[in-house]
Amino acid sequence: MKLTIKDIAKLAGVSTATVSMVVNNKDERISASTREKVLDIVDKYNYIPNRIASSMVTKSTKTIGLVIPDITNPFFPEVARGVEDKANIDGYTVIFCNSDNVLSKEDAYIDMLQEKMVDGIIFTASSRRTNISASLQRVTVPVITVDRVIPNLSNQGQIVVDNEVGAYEAVCHMLAKGYKRIFHITGPLTSKTARDRYNGYLKALESNNQQPLPNHLYEGMYTTTWGHNAIEQLIEDGHDFDGVFCGNDMIAVGVLKGLQKHGLSVPTDIGVVGYDDVNIARLVTPELTTVSQPKYEMGYKAAEMLIKMINNEHNNQSEYTLSTELIIRNSTRT
Amino acid sequence: MKLTIKDIAKLAGVSTATVSMVVNNKDERISASTREKVLDIVDKYNYIPNRIASSMVTKSTKTIGLVIPDITNPFFPEVARGVEDKANIDGYTVIFCNSDNVLSKEDAYIDMLQEKMVDGIIFTASSRRTNISASLQRVTVPVITVDRVIPNLSNQGQIVVDNEVGAYEAVCHMLAKGYKRIFHITGPLTSKTARDRYNGYLKALESNNQQPLPNHLYEGMYTTTWGHNAIEQLIEDGHDFDGVFCGNDMIAVGVLKGLQKHGLSVPTDIGVVGYDDVNIARLVTPELTTVSQPKYEMGYKAAEMLIKMINNEHNNQSEYTLSTELIIRNSTRT
DNA sequence: CCTTCTTGTTTAAACGTTTAACTAAATTAT
DNA sequence: ATAATTTAGTTAAACGTTTAAACAAGAAGG
């Protein structure tokens, strides 16, 4: 039988107000003896306050929603962990939702979260989301978008990463190591993220006085399979190349496999650089040189910013830019 | 301004009961015209029902808690995804919690989930949890333990995997391929999981008329680092070996790296087998032969079982055993 | 000794739903 | 025409908290 505050009040011979005050440490005005009496009963009967009921009156659920494409994608566990850690520190709880980058699923989740009265939402939207939807329009709580921006959404904070600089540095590194004919294999250029990386690549070539090669761009998916296919294609196309800069690590791993299959040695013949620095990057052979994104920090900062917005300690339209770090391993020459 | 059911009722010129009935499709007794009138207003004003308030009266939050050690461990994202998918199908929402295998964190989360009135909990407990804690004792909702069992916990369903058979088959495969001196590198034997795998290993030797080698067991952590260290140690110890069966894939990856460093070729000189079949297994070189655990299905089944228990469609003390599958890749001879 | 403060506690309304019990009107049965 | 039944909707209590306002009793001030 679950005990309520009323039961405890009766057992302790006080009012529910008193019990409420002592269990919430709002007990400046409560005498020490009463406090102890109440606490004894609470302990003895294992009283568990019903936060649903408190939420009704306080209008705060201490819950935030996290909408990501897919926790199974190695990029997201760390982000999620960052979110959860910061949330937990501040007494928040995280509801997590996998949208598979499907707009209708995203919207359904947004509605669900609103119904559950979350205090705020952290959202990595599909790159196909070109404008605000009805569900998003209904959102009244603060939203932090991470790595993606939702056009026309108010009450939005943003966590972004400087992808252009990250890509720029990576490609400069390749050029510095003597790779001269570098191709770019990437995911869909519909996302700003992908375009920024591509631009960084182009700028690096430019500032090293190189013309981009003809047909230097292979656009596909963010998967190992695509990486593998793309490099096969590239070889088949008869291109003369000695480097490939990849849109993410999964692609790079596929590229590594493809090159290996064709007996091309990395890093001696060909240099390969990935993006993200997922755990796999350190485990493949050769270990992958890659641009590390601060995944955990992205999640952590997102939660931090969101909580500040929830508490009105933060202006409503703000942006936080994190930077990347080039991790040099063994898929590029030393 | 957020509208409540009262506002909608007033706008539609009906009672809140009527609105409630139509938005919940309990409207057999409502006339078509009234229903339409209400629905129009609901649409027009973007009414979002407050599920917190409903929960108060229905005593069901349609929320479940998921407590795992660490989403960052590549084993768990798939489990979590399985849970979330099934939960979502049935209209449940998932609160996720990372315990880092720390008992006090586990307990704190269990308490928190109870306070938030979750309808049930899915729990992968630390292997150090040898008995039921005060927090667990307070739990009144159903709990499904996955891959771990909590002694003396009532109202518990269990999802387990037949690890002994999985290990047995793996080691039999190695023996069949001609590996004769197989060592076992694993994580802490405090968990039943680890012990079952070890027993499977021993049984396989036995049924192939082999004595276990002296000092055949290296017990450490479930990490790449430990795998690497252990194999170094093993080599240093001067053991004559031609195979290693690993407690999980992370260890196996470390072993692969160590072997490579010492110029030992896999699978020709040495056979290596992992356990779990995390995504990395397919990406290392050589691709890892491993025992696949049905991770997604474990999560999915756990959610399914939990939801059945919540709806009292399932007996309270039940167990579901899933089986493993040996995935033969290139770290063992063909 | 009366008034005013202070301290400690209680009262009761409010939060936004659901739902059992009730009612009024319309229909059917007798 | 009246009673019984059906249909369509309403009323009001309940869920378990928090918290502003009220209150009672004792202490201090004049």
Side-chain angles (χ1 to χ4, degrees):
Chain A
M1 190 67 11
K2 206 163 260 180
L3 293 183
T4 72
I5 201 171
K6 280 184 195 166
D7 302 317
I8 300 299
K10 192 166 294 174
L11 284 161
V14 297
S15 72
T16 61
T18 304
V19 176
S20 174
M21 285 162 168
V22 346
V23 309
N24 292 309
N25 296 315
K26 306 222 171 214
D27 52 357
E28 320 83 20
R29 274 166 31 189
I30 305 290
S31 71
S33 67
T34 322
R35 177 182 309 133
E36 242 177 83
K37 191 168 54 181
V38 170
L39 255 17
D40 279 356
I41 301 287
V42 163
D43 276 6
K44 183 165 168 201
Y45 291 91
N46 275 331
Y47 168 62
I48 299 179
N50 181 331
R51 296 293 170 210
I52 294 289
S54 346
S55 293
M56 283 251 47
V57 12
T58 61
K59 289 171 161 338
S60 140
T61 52
K62 284 283 194 173
T63 300
I64 66 181
L66 172 64
V67 182
I68 55 175
D70 182 11
I71 192 71
T72 266
N73 172 334
F75 182 80
F76 291 107
E78 280 200 62
V79 176
R81 188 64 212 261
V83 169
E84 212 259 324
D85 280 359
K86 177 57 178 168
N88 188 233
I89 287 169
D90 290 359
Y92 285 81
T93 255
V94 179
I95 292 181
F96 103 113
C97 312
N98 297 279
S99 71
D100 287 320
N101 277 318
V102 172
L103 295 184
S104 61
K105 268 185 137 188
E106 287 182 0
D107 282 336
Y109 274 122
I110 295 289
D111 280 339
M112 208 179 199
L113 291 172
Q114 285 263 106
E115 293 189 355
K116 296 242 166 144
M117 300 284 126
V118 295
D119 294 339
I121 296 174
I122 294 176
F123 189 17
T124 297
S126 157
S127 60
R128 259 163 302 186
R129 186 168 287 279
T130 57
N131 213 324
I132 192 172
S133 65
S135 299
L136 247 6
Q137 213 130 26
R138 280 194 275 275
V139 173
T140 54
V141 294
V143 176
I144 306 291
T145 51
V146 357
D147 218 25
R148 307 285 161 84
V149 177
I150 300 171
N152 303 320
L153 179 61
S154 59
N155 214 17
Q156 175 183 204
Q158 296 166 210
I159 304 287
V160 295
V161 167
D162 198 333
N163 282 296
E164 194 172 307
V165 169
Y168 179 86
E169 287 174 353
V171 176
C172 283
H173 164 74
M174 295 181 83
L175 292 165
K177 292 302 174 186
Y179 300 105
K180 296 198 182 321
R181 303 181 58 80
I182 302 169
F183 283 69
H184 184 39
I185 302 179
T186 188
L189 287 178
T190 46
S191 75
K192 184 164 182 309
T193 309
R195 287 195 303 274
D196 285 349
R197 291 177 196 174
Y198 181 38
N199 285 331
Y201 159 89
L202 292 175
K203 285 210 174 149
L205 294 181
E206 193 185 330
S207 61
N208 283 267
N209 302 313
Q210 280 214 8
Q211 296 293 342
L213 300 166
N215 305 311
H216 59 274
L217 181 68
Y218 284 74
E219 181 185 354
M221 320 252 58
Y222 281 120
T223 61
T224 304
T225 311
W226 163 242
H228 196 276
N229 291 346
I231 196 73
E232 295 265 5
Q233 183 87 48
L234 199 156
I235 291 169
E236 216 165 86
D237 288 351
H239 286 304
D240 175 20
F241 73 104
D242 64 359
V244 10
F245 171 58
C246 304
N248 80 349
D249 288 343
M250 303 314 286
I251 293 176
V253 169
V255 166
L256 246 32
K257 292 235 152 198
L259 290 172
Q260 203 170 291
K261 193 169 140 195
H262 282 266
L264 292 162
S265 97
V266 178
T268 319
D269 301 342
I270 315 280
V272 176
V273 173
Y275 210 106
D276 286 351
D277 193 25
V278 297
N279 57 359
I280 295 163
R282 206 177 314 111
L283 301 175
V284 292
T285 315
E287 296 181 9
L288 194 63
T289 294
T290 189
V291 179
S292 171
Q293 293 214 63
K295 299 173 286 296
Y296 180 87
E297 209 187 343
M298 288 165 77
Y300 196 95
K301 276 283 171 195
E304 184 173 293
M305 194 164 170
L306 183 63
I307 291 169
K308 276 190 182 155
M309 281 176 75
I310 290 169
N311 297 326
N312 289 311
E313 293 166 8
H314 211 293
N315 45 335
N316 285 0
Q317 205 63 241
S318 48
E319 188 177 319
Y320 192 89
T321 305
L322 293 162
S323 51
T324 58
E325 188 191 354
L326 180 64
I327 309 284
I328 298 170
R329 295 206 184 90
N330 307 324
S331 65
T332 47
R333 291 181 203 123
T334 56
Chain B
M1 189 67 10
K2 206 163 258 183
L3 294 183
T4 73
I5 200 171
K6 281 184 195 166
D7 301 317
I8 300 299
K10 192 166 294 175
L11 285 162
V14 298
S15 71
T16 62
T18 304
V19 177
S20 174
M21 285 163 169
V22 345
V23 309
N24 292 308
N25 295 315
K26 304 222 171 215
D27 52 357
E28 319 83 21
R29 273 167 31 191
I30 305 291
S31 73
S33 67
T34 322
R35 177 182 309 133
E36 243 177 81
K37 191 168 54 182
V38 171
L39 255 17
D40 279 358
I41 301 288
V42 163
D43 276 8
K44 184 167 167 198
Y45 291 92
N46 275 332
Y47 167 61
I48 298 180
N50 180 330
R51 296 293 170 210
I52 294 289
S54 345
S55 293
M56 283 251 48
V57 11
T58 61
K59 290 170 161 336
S60 141
T61 53
K62 283 283 193 173
T63 300
I64 66 182
L66 172 64
V67 182
I68 55 175
D70 182 11
I71 193 70
T72 267
N73 171 333
F75 182 79
F76 291 108
E78 281 201 61
V79 177
R81 187 65 213 259
V83 169
E84 211 261 322
D85 279 0
K86 177 57 177 167
N88 188 234
I89 287 170
D90 290 358
Y92 285 81
T93 254
V94 178
I95 292 181
F96 103 114
C97 313
N98 297 281
S99 70
D100 287 320
N101 278 316
V102 173
L103 296 184
S104 61
K105 268 186 138 189
E106 288 182 359
D107 283 336
Y109 274 123
I110 296 288
D111 280 339
M112 208 180 199
L113 291 173
Q114 286 262 107
E115 293 189 355
K116 296 242 167 145
M117 300 282 126
V118 295
D119 294 339
I121 296 174
I122 294 175
F123 188 19
T124 297
S126 156
S127 61
R128 258 162 301 186
R129 186 169 287 281
T130 58
N131 214 324
I132 192 171
S133 65
S135 299
L136 247 4
Q137 214 130 25
R138 280 194 274 275
V139 173
T140 55
V141 294
V143 176
I144 306 291
T145 51
V146 356
D147 219 26
R148 308 285 162 84
V149 177
I150 299 172
N152 302 321
L153 179 62
S154 59
N155 216 18
Q156 175 181 206
Q158 295 167 211
I159 303 287
V160 295
V161 166
D162 198 333
N163 282 296
E164 192 171 309
V165 169
Y168 178 87
E169 287 174 354
V171 175
C172 283
H173 163 74
M174 295 182 81
L175 292 165
K177 292 302 174 188
Y179 299 105
K180 297 200 183 317
R181 302 182 59 80
I182 302 168
F183 282 70
H184 185 38
I185 302 178
T186 189
L189 287 178
T190 45
S191 75
K192 184 166 182 307
T193 309
R195 287 195 303 275
D196 286 349
R197 291 177 196 175
Y198 181 38
N199 285 332
Y201 159 88
L202 291 175
K203 285 212 176 149
L205 294 181
E206 191 186 330
S207 62
N208 283 268
N209 302 313
Q210 280 214 7
Q211 296 292 344
L213 300 166
N215 305 311
H216 59 274
L217 181 68
Y218 284 74
E219 183 184 354
M221 319 253 59
Y222 282 120
T223 60
T224 304
T225 310
W226 163 241
H228 196 276
N229 291 345
I231 196 74
E232 296 265 5
Q233 183 86 48
L234 198 156
I235 291 169
E236 216 166 86
D237 289 350
H239 286 303
D240 174 21
F241 74 104
D242 64 0
V244 12
F245 172 57
C246 304
N248 79 350
D249 288 343
M250 302 313 286
I251 293 176
V253 169
V255 167
L256 245 34
K257 292 236 153 197
L259 257 19
Q260 205 169 289
K261 192 169 140 195
H262 283 265
L264 292 162
S265 98
V266 178
T268 319
D269 301 341
I270 315 280
V272 176
V273 173
Y275 210 107
D276 286 351
D277 194 25
V278 296
N279 57 359
I280 295 163
R282 208 177 313 110
L283 302 175
V284 290
T285 315
E287 296 182 7
L288 194 62
T289 293
T290 188
V291 179
S292 171
Q293 292 213 65
K295 299 173 285 297
Y296 180 87
E297 208 187 344
M298 288 165 77
Y300 196 95
K301 276 283 171 194
E304 183 172 295
M305 195 163 170
L306 182 64
I307 292 168
K308 276 191 182 154
M309 281 176 77
I310 290 168
N311 297 327
N312 288 313
E313 292 165 9
H314 211 293
N315 45 334
N316 285 359
Q317 204 66 239
S318 48
E319 187 176 320
Y320 191 90
T321 304
L322 293 162
S323 51
T324 58
E325 189 191 353
L326 180 64
I327 309 285
I328 298 171
R329 295 207 184 90
N330 308 323
S331 65
T332 49
R333 292 180 202 126
T334 56

